[in-house]
Amino acid sequence: MNSGNDTLARLAEVIESRRGQDPDKSYVARLFSKGTDAILKKVGEEATEVVMAAKDGGGPKLVGEVADLWFHTLVALAAFDLKPADVLAELERREGLSGLEEFALRKLREREGGTP
């Protein structure tokens, strides 16, 4: 069985390969042709659908909506020339920190004028 990291990397490669294709033949190409605002709007819509599925009790519907959100988030990352590995590296960096510690460190960096 492949790891989730492999699955995300493969999906990111497919997204990138479809970026410049015909928007009439590829959903991903259509998203890219509409621009960043349209991609980000789709991420927002999918996030809302995740919330609604969770409020409806979760289960397979929630899993499907999270898959849609992850997919569209990968499209958004690609739009900014980022990869799933960038997000995974950030999660690994945060591993072992409590959420409160990580939040406090992020706020401190923002106050000091650094990047979050």
Side-chain angles (χ1 to χ4, degrees), residues 82-100:
L82 297 167
K83 305 245 181 269
D86 298 314
V87 177
L88 293 170
E90 176 62 12
L91 289 171
E92 288 170 8
R93 184 191 68 77
R94 295 179 185 186
E95 194 172 2
L97 287 176
S98 79
L100 296 176

Side-chain angles (χ1 to χ4, degrees), residues 1 26 32 37 55 70-71 76 78 86 91 94 106 108 113:
M1 183 171 168
S26 167
F32 280 116
D37 284 350
K55 290 181 77 59
W70 285 15
F71 173 82
D86 298 314
L91 289 171
R94 295 179 185 186
R106 205 172 346 143
L108 177 63

